[in-house]
Amino acid sequence: MRYHGETRRRLRLALLGLSLLAPLAAHADSWQQIQNEAKGQTVWFNAWGGDEAVNHYLDWVSGEVKRNYAVDLRIVHIADAADTVKRIQTEARSGRKTNGSVDLLWVNGENFRSLKEANLLRTGWAEQLPNWHYVDVSKPVREDFSVPVEGAESPWGSAQLTFIARQQQTPQPPTSAQALLEFARTHPGTVTYPRPTDFTGTALLEQLLINLTTEPEALKQPPSEKTFAAVTAPLWAYLDKLHPLLWRQGKDFPPTPARMDTLLTNGSLSLSLTFNPMHAKQKVAKGELPKDSYSFGFSQGMIGNVHFVTIPANATASAGAQVVANFLLSPEAQLRKADPAIWGDPSVLDPAKLDAKQQRTLQALIPENTPPVLAEPHSAWVNVLEQEWLRRYGTH
């Protein structure tokens, strides 16, 4: 069969169009296959259960994925993701390569690194989720505490270390590490932080280390025995000055940020601490913090990260887990989660990728005067900082 020149040109363009569409069609087919496979699956989602707002939100997610995708989402409330990491490691050691007890895990930082380095995670799936295209890739969604993600976990919320104060008590908050030390001198006994190994307490150690060290580049790599003392010396010198000025002279530390909130509410403390910049709004909305409570941070930035969900390599219901992860990235789920009246967990979506109404909703939820986000140190710093802190101050 012979074609005229114009016909041949059109045919070539049509074939080119089909070749460009083929990967999209294949991806759509494969996602449809995943959704089909997910129907009727039970997904065991291990998630931190320490907050009533989080638990209510996840109950709503369970109802939505059941109704829309026929996935039976079961939430396993955990106190620490490290406990679930140990269970996954134990299953691997016993040769349980399939039918694992965990299908989805809320994770980041050192727990993610432990699982990824041991090849215990499913990889390469996260950026294949249809809702990935909404994600704000300017956030640290492709690395987790300096560890490359490589599609092994899907973002679902962002967080930033944030101080809370009360307007009546503290109209001018300290906005640097040195200002915090001066504030503690001027208001002795009203400043403290959660005892490491509480995650928020350790985060403050990392924040202060970033602010004070003379070797910030060292924090992007795992700590070295040779340089650890030199890199961290300014932090310990600072804490040695700060601790005698703290609540209970730094001889006792609140176990959790929630305890700090209580002490802020009753006037014992001038400052509380959270890893959620929307926490104050959320707690004020629920009447759990005084109405004049507000958030602030250091003007040069506060450390922040993204929290993720990940799928173990031996998951029983990996298709169902991907459907849940994809739903968690939907504008509907992300905007609901960001609402302080629901949870107040900041979104990982790029407002520019949303429609006009969704953009307005999201912008209204973002707290004003949020400081720049500083990247977390490499995840290996968490444990060594905690151990050194306990060695120096933990026996008081």
Side-chain angles (χ1 to χ4, degrees):
M1 187 182 289
R2 290 172 179 250
Y3 294 101
H4 296 297
E6 177 61 18
T7 310
R8 278 202 301 273
R9 192 181 71 81
R10 285 182 182 174
L11 187 61
R12 273 201 307 275
L13 286 172
L15 289 169
L16 176 63
L18 285 172
S19 69
L20 291 172
L21 286 171
L24 293 174
H27 182 249
D29 285 348
S30 61
W31 182 249
Q32 190 58 55
Q33 285 165 4
I34 288 167
Q35 282 191 310
N36 291 341
E37 193 184 328
K39 280 179 185 166
Q41 285 190 341
T42 299
V43 172
W44 293 94
F45 182 12
N46 283 232
W48 179 64
D51 189 295
E52 198 180 330
V54 177
N55 297 339
H56 283 318
Y57 175 76
L58 289 176
D59 288 344
W60 172 79
V61 170
S62 298
E64 293 298 295
V65 296
K66 178 83 168 175
R67 188 171 74 246
N68 297 327
Y69 306 105
V71 170
D72 185 10
L73 181 63
R74 305 286 181 91
I75 311 298
V76 180
H77 299 296
I78 55 174
D80 190 338
D83 297 333
T84 304
V85 169
K86 284 176 192 154
R87 182 146 40 95
I88 294 166
Q89 290 167 332
T90 301
E91 289 178 1
R93 279 195 296 272
S94 68
R96 191 168 168 181
K97 295 196 184 307
T98 56
N99 298 320
S101 62
V102 181
D103 298 301
L104 197 63
L105 171 63
W106 177 357
V107 72
N108 68 350
E110 59 188 319
N111 291 316
F112 170 67
R113 179 173 64 102
S114 299
L115 292 170
K116 184 168 180 276
E117 285 180 354
N119 296 315
L120 295 177
L121 296 177
R122 185 186 180 95
T123 59
W125 58 272
E127 296 195 26
Q128 306 304 312
L129 299 175
N131 285 335
W132 173 269
H133 74 98
Y134 290 115
V135 170
D136 182 353
V137 292
S138 71
K139 288 181 183 280
V141 292
R142 287 186 167 129
E143 63 170 42
D144 187 347
F145 285 63
S146 299
V147 176
V149 168
E150 295 172 329
E153 53 182 359
S154 173
W156 76 302
S158 56
Q160 187 175 24
L161 188 65
T162 305
F163 290 102
I164 301 169
R166 294 180 60 186
Q167 202 71 49
Q168 192 180 332
Q169 239 181 339
T170 312
Q172 294 294 324
T175 55
S176 70
Q178 289 308 322
L180 179 64
L181 184 59
E182 286 307 314
F183 184 90
R185 280 200 183 104
T186 316
H187 306 85
T190 73
V191 175
T192 189
Y193 57 95
R195 178 185 173 88
T197 57
D198 172 85
F199 172 77
T200 314
T202 304
L204 183 65
L205 299 184
E206 294 179 298
Q207 172 74 40
L208 294 170
L209 180 57
I210 289 170
N211 294 146
L212 300 167
T213 187
T214 55
E215 301 178 50
E217 288 302 307
L219 303 180
K220 294 178 182 174
Q221 304 297 328
S224 146
E225 274 185 44
K226 290 179 184 172
T227 60
F228 178 78
V231 172
T232 60
L235 170 65
W236 313 123
Y238 177 94
L239 293 181
D240 286 346
K241 288 180 201 157
L242 179 69
H243 279 189
L245 308 169
L246 296 184
W247 178 75
R248 296 185 176 173
Q249 294 82 49
K251 293 177 178 157
D252 189 16
F253 291 83
T256 61
R259 176 74 180 131
M260 287 185 69
D261 283 354
T262 303
L263 294 167
L264 178 70
T265 300
N266 70 24
S268 301
L269 290 182
S270 298
L271 307 175
S272 189
L273 200 59
T274 175
F275 215 85
N276 182 350
M278 297 172 88
H279 177 86
K281 266 191 173 184
Q282 179 211 33
K283 294 298 180 186
V284 168
K286 295 192 164 185
E288 293 171 18
L289 275 178
K291 283 192 168 57
D292 65 338
S293 301
Y294 67 96
S295 301
F296 73 94
F298 293 164
S299 52
Q300 290 191 324
M302 298 290 283
I303 60 170
N305 63 36
V306 168
H307 38 269
F308 299 83
V309 291
T310 193
I311 303 173
N314 72 346
T316 305
S318 64
Q322 288 174 77
V323 166
V324 173
N326 188 60
F327 177 74
L328 292 172
L329 279 179
S330 67
E332 178 194 9
Q334 285 283 306
L335 291 175
R336 184 182 179 87
K337 184 167 64 68
D339 184 344
I342 306 290
W343 175 358
D345 186 55
S347 168
V348 292
L349 303 189
D350 181 348
K353 295 174 182 174
L354 304 176
D355 67 34
K357 186 182 176 189
Q358 291 166 341
Q359 278 187 37
R360 285 194 299 273
T361 303
L362 186 56
Q363 297 293 1
L365 294 171
I366 297 169
E368 293 173 22
N369 304 321
T370 303
V373 175
L374 303 178
E376 297 262 18
H378 189 281
S379 63
W381 281 89
V382 169
N383 188 51
V384 290
L385 283 176
E386 288 175 347
Q387 294 312 310
E388 184 63 12
W389 188 94
L390 290 168
R391 189 182 74 75
R392 288 169 178 266
Y393 311 113
T395 54
H396 292 171

